[in-house]
Amino acid sequence: MMKHLDQELDLLAAQFSKELATSEQQLMALGAAHLPTSDLLRLQGKYSERIESYSLWQRRFLNLAMWSPALLVAGALLFWIGSLKLALLVLSAFPVSLLLAGWGIYSLYNNYGTLNQHEEWLDAIEEELRKRNMDKKKRG
């Protein structure tokens, strides 16, 4: 009975360590205080870069969605001046641009989660690094 329990505990411990194999997963599960400074510095750079990239692509996709109605206006103007083929081409680009913007925003969220989540993790990392720096200054 004890041997079986020990095997189960070993199995659970192995499974838990696999789940927390990366620094990022440890950050999410345990918090920034339990990671070495080198991992925190690496994650700080990673999350800063992710936030910049996420913000850039989010802004691009939102601008595409925001400006896509201009295609309707341009198509209507082209239709009004008699350029039917070009008007149809421009008008057909409107739903394509909206679909592309929607897919892009969905893809960002699906692959990276929310921007707030990354910002919270970065704030937690930076706060822990500040605490460690203050402790180091007090000791040294």
Side-chain angles (χ1 to χ4, degrees), residues 33-51:
H34 300 284
L35 293 174
T37 304
S38 61
D39 286 348
L40 289 176
L41 290 170
R42 185 179 53 77
L43 287 173
Q44 181 185 29
K46 180 179 180 179
Y47 282 117
S48 295
E49 188 176 296
R50 254 190 199 176
I51 288 170

Side-chain angles (χ1 to χ4, degrees), residues 10-44:
D10 287 342
L11 181 66
L12 285 173
Q15 185 179 4
F16 186 70
S17 67
K18 273 186 187 176
E19 288 176 6
L20 297 178
T22 67
S23 300
E24 192 171 47
Q25 290 169 332
Q26 289 176 356
L27 172 66
M28 290 181 243
L30 303 174
H34 300 284
L35 293 174
T37 304
S38 61
D39 286 348
L40 289 176
L41 290 170
R42 185 179 53 77
L43 287 173
Q44 181 185 29

Side-chain angles (χ1 to χ4, degrees), residues 9-116:
L9 288 174
D10 287 342
L11 181 66
L12 285 173
Q15 185 179 4
F16 186 70
S17 67
K18 273 186 187 176
E19 288 176 6
L20 297 178
T22 67
S23 300
E24 192 171 47
Q25 290 169 332
Q26 289 176 356
L27 172 66
M28 290 181 243
L30 303 174
H34 300 284
L35 293 174
T37 304
S38 61
D39 286 348
L40 289 176
L41 290 170
R42 185 179 53 77
L43 287 173
Q44 181 185 29
K46 180 179 180 179
Y47 282 117
S48 295
E49 188 176 296
R50 254 190 199 176
I51 288 170
E52 283 180 35
S53 177
Y54 190 102
S55 297
L56 174 71
W57 283 103
Q58 183 182 39
R59 195 170 40 253
R60 285 181 178 172
F61 288 128
L62 289 175
N63 280 336
L64 179 62
M66 185 179 71
W67 286 102
S68 63
L71 293 171
L72 289 176
V73 173
L77 287 173
L78 289 169
F79 182 79
W80 184 67
I81 62 170
S83 181
L84 298 178
K85 289 182 182 180
L86 191 55
L88 289 175
L89 181 67
V90 171
L91 288 172
S92 64
F94 168 71
V96 172
S97 65
L98 276 182
L99 288 173
L100 182 63
W103 170 83
I105 291 170
Y106 172 77
S107 178
L108 276 176
Y109 177 76
N110 199 30
N111 291 327
Y112 297 104
T114 64
L115 186 59
N116 286 343

